[in-house]
Amino acid sequence: MITHVAFWILAIGAALTGAAVFIVNSMARASYALAVSFICVGLQVLLLQQNYVGVVTILMMVMEMAVMAVYMVMFMGMNPALMPMSMVHDKRHALAVSIGVFLLLAAGALLTPWPARRGTPPADVTAALGEELMEPKMLVMAAVGVVMAATIVAGVVLAAHRTRYDRFGDDLRRRPARDPQPGGVGR
Amino acid sequence: MEHRHDAHETTHGTDHYMTNAGTRGGGHAGHAGMGHGAMNMAPAGIPLAIGGEDRDGLELDALHVRLGPVLAHWPAGLVLRCTLQGDVILDADASLIDADQPVAEDDGRGSTRPLFAARRCDNAAGLLELAGFNDIASHARRLRDALLNGDAHTGPQLDRLARMARRSWLLRWSLRRLGPVTDQDVARWHLPDTLRGDTRDRLLAMLDRAAQALAGRNGHLVAEQPRVPIDAVAELVRGWDLAAARLIVASLDLDMWTADRAVSRV
Amino acid sequence: MTVVPPPWALAAAGLLGLLTLGAAVLDGVLSARAAGTHVRTGLTRPIGEIARLMRQRRRVTVAADTLLWRIGGAGLLVMALMIITVVPLGKWTLFDLDVGVVWFNAMDVLAWAFVWLTGWGANSAHSLVGGYRFLAHGLAYELPLMFALVAPAVAASSLNVATIAAAQQNLWFAVWMPVAFLVYCMGVLAIAVWGPFSPALAPDTAGGVTAELSGLDRLLFLGGRYALLVAGAAFAVPMFLGGGSGPLLPAWMWVLVKTLALLTAFIWLRRRLPAVRPDLFMEVGWVVLLPAVLLQDLLVAGIALGRS
């Protein structure tokens, strides 16, 4: 009973805050409406007994929205990030497409003949889900995670505005480095 | 992204960007409700900001923020009109409030040795407080009060304070390489010699001057006070972030504008 | 582990409130001592401050985002309450979650949202700078903190807080994974915007995120910081300090004693350490702390593997 009530409250909450992303007129509100929507979804995942996945969803999404707040001010060019503004591009088409996709997915979820439960759920549903998703490729996936992190770091290094030649001079011998503001390690 | 076309009632005046409130405004003052402009140029009466090149190549909005004339741990009366991008000071313009008023030190009290030392301690306390060294700052403040009250035996206390500041490697880590003043800078902006070095050097020099004044080693006190040309203050903070700029200004040991007695803050 | 019925959450909240008030009083006493004023001033000051802020009228700023501002101000206290739900007090717990460590992590990340929102809402330059200073800190402390939380979980082969506490019967994790413990403590100071991690609301930005906070919002925000220190200290007990284990006293008492000890250390540290400005700390976090804590994890994983 409580599960049902919680499910519906969270489901409606997720949908409403998701819609709010496009209705509110500030980037901050849109970002955090999205965060709330994801928190609702994360809590719903908890109802599936996927505790780890649910809590990690909350963790990642809140952090992501905070980082987005950084980027929206840094890279949104002129004022848009800090000005009241509309959050939608091509309003009419976007609305049509998104409602269409929502109906399609909802219809799929409602009309699919879901199989009846066979047997009992395993003791550790999170581990079972992971194995079900990528049993033979677990090692590959674990390695890909590290490679992706390394790629991101390398990408940032390559894209950085200032290189070591700017800091240490053409012969890389200048000490201390010429920085706009000194760092904490004294490199 | 499209901006809303709603014509906004500008119920507030444009004076907001003179205060700190104008985060989202400043710079170019567009007329609200012009009709054919693509954007609402002044939400809540705050004019639109204009972006520009900055130190880190981010093209952030230029924002106008005024520091002073009244701010905790800030030389009273100094006003810095800063153009910020993010929290980096792109440009600054310094001025003084009541610059034409007679300076307080001329009333004869400003030249006594304990008062001179007390002012150095007060400025050091402000700098230490800004850098977050609460305990050493409390020391400096108590010493200042003792000096103002005319207590005896303040000399050893002052030595102890200077020793604490000199020995703290955390203080060194926090303040070194901040706002360096080279020989060329001293010559170019006609700065007093005592300001040479980084913020930490200037803090230690400040405490040294206090100790020398108490010991009676410096002859004419008023000559010893660092006279910093007002424009040099603006030059020194340019290119630093807001907090670093506060530390640099505090390290300049400015006192021609401070009141005689400051209120003690815990 | 006994899961107590939900009404006990009120008792837990009350205990959190008491410890929070205690932390504020202790800070007041230490400040008064350093300033050379009477200790009684420090004792009564937090109480007076609460009364003053509850009566104070809220400051209004131009074009403030009031909703987000209020949410940010009240958020820290909510975070602290959510954290203590998974901390076992002796053999009782409110919420015996199998992924309690990740729960703590998810809650501490909320600080990113709440502190920034508090800075954003006021529409003031200093507040916003403060908010971004917190995020800059966050970028440097969060990864080391996450990897510091990994170490006890790996050593105990569990994400359940009670299991981790039980795995320290012989030796506290704080003893043989000191780097992880220190980085965790740093993380707690950081989410509480406390001591060295207070540049987000420091005087060098005229109060930062608290520059325009007033009245009840200010009370909730500042109280939330103390509450987060309490919750962080309480969570460290099962994670690193052996949970309720100890001689003579009952387990719940030991949890309280250890929490109080760590809390006192946190409060005392504020006056001892300088502010680590984000421009200084960013390099420290990435160049020193992250590799150090990763090495710690490697070491712990090796030992855990050798044992099994």
Side-chain angles (χ1 to χ4, degrees), chain B residues 7-254:
Chain B
H8 202 100
E9 287 286 313
T10 47
T11 48
H12 305 277
T14 47
D15 56 331
H16 295 299
Y17 72 103
M18 294 301 288
T19 69
N20 290 338
T23 303
R24 290 150 215 182
H28 176 76
H31 246 309
M34 285 256 283
H36 47 260
M39 306 179 191
N40 165 20
M41 298 299 269
I46 303 168
L48 201 61
I50 295 292
E53 282 294 325
D54 72 348
R55 183 184 85 180
D56 305 313
L58 290 174
E59 298 185 19
L60 294 171
D61 291 351
L63 172 70
H64 301 276
V65 172
R66 196 172 58 170
L67 297 180
V70 182
L71 204 55
H73 315 301
W74 177 265
L78 175 66
V79 180
L80 267 185
R81 286 196 177 75
C82 302
T83 306
L84 297 181
Q85 279 189 322
D87 65 347
V88 175
I89 295 180
L90 190 71
D91 200 5
D93 179 31
S95 59
L96 269 181
I97 282 201
D98 287 343
D100 48 350
Q101 297 292 313
V103 182
E105 74 197 6
D106 291 343
D107 62 6
R109 288 184 299 159
S111 52
T112 68
R113 292 180 187 283
L115 191 52
F116 179 87
R119 277 183 172 161
R120 304 287 82 75
C121 284
D122 190 45
N123 284 343
L127 174 55
L128 289 164
E129 193 73 42
L130 287 178
F133 288 89
N134 296 329
D135 261 5
I136 311 185
S138 300
H139 255 276
R141 221 176 287 114
R142 288 170 73 173
L143 188 52
R144 173 203 67 193
D145 292 346
L147 286 164
L148 288 177
N149 292 338
D151 293 1
H153 308 301
T154 42
Q157 282 185 54
L158 190 56
D159 289 343
R160 208 159 76 84
L161 178 68
R163 211 164 44 238
M164 263 161 84
R166 198 177 301 277
R167 285 195 184 155
S168 165
W169 67 269
L170 281 169
L171 190 76
R172 193 186 146 80
W173 175 74
S174 170
L175 297 182
R176 67 172 177 184
R177 291 167 66 191
L178 213 55
V181 172
T182 57
D183 292 342
Q184 290 98 315
D185 297 335
V186 169
R188 187 158 27 134
W189 296 319
H190 309 292
L191 294 172
D193 285 348
T194 49
L195 294 188
R196 220 172 256 136
D198 57 21
T199 298
R200 175 176 177 268
D201 297 333
R202 287 193 288 270
L203 172 69
L204 297 179
M206 211 187 292
L207 294 173
D208 276 348
R209 276 200 302 284
Q212 280 173 9
L214 270 194
R217 276 198 295 274
N218 51 352
H220 194 234
L221 278 166
V222 179
E224 285 295 314
Q225 290 185 18
R227 286 276 179 188
V228 182
I230 191 85
D231 293 331
V233 178
E235 290 292 337
L236 284 171
V237 299
R238 206 164 282 163
W240 293 87
D241 79 30
L242 201 57
R246 293 289 314 270
L247 290 170
I248 292 169
V249 171
S251 76
L252 296 180
D253 195 17
L254 305 169

Side-chain angles (χ1 to χ4, degrees), chain C residues 33 51 53 64 70 89 100 104 129 150 157 160 189 212 216 218 230-231 235 243 247 249 251 267 273 287 301:
Chain C
R33 212 185 54 175
L53 288 176
R70 299 256 195 283
L89 182 67
F104 172 83
V129 167
V150 165
S157 309
N160 179 279
L189 295 183
E212 307 286 348
L216 204 54
R218 191 179 185 89
V230 175
F235 191 74
L249 297 175
I267 302 282
L273 296 178
V287 179

Side-chain angles (χ1 to χ4, degrees), chain A residues 51-82:
Chain A
N51 292 349
Y52 181 78
V53 180
V55 176
V56 161
T57 304
I58 298 174
L59 192 166
M60 297 317 289
M61 286 308 150
V62 172
M63 209 160 157
E64 204 151 290
M65 291 311 140
V67 172
M68 196 159 112
V70 176
Y71 281 97
M72 75 187 185
V73 170
M74 264 166 51
F75 295 123
M76 280 291 292
M78 236 175 74
N79 307 282
L82 298 171

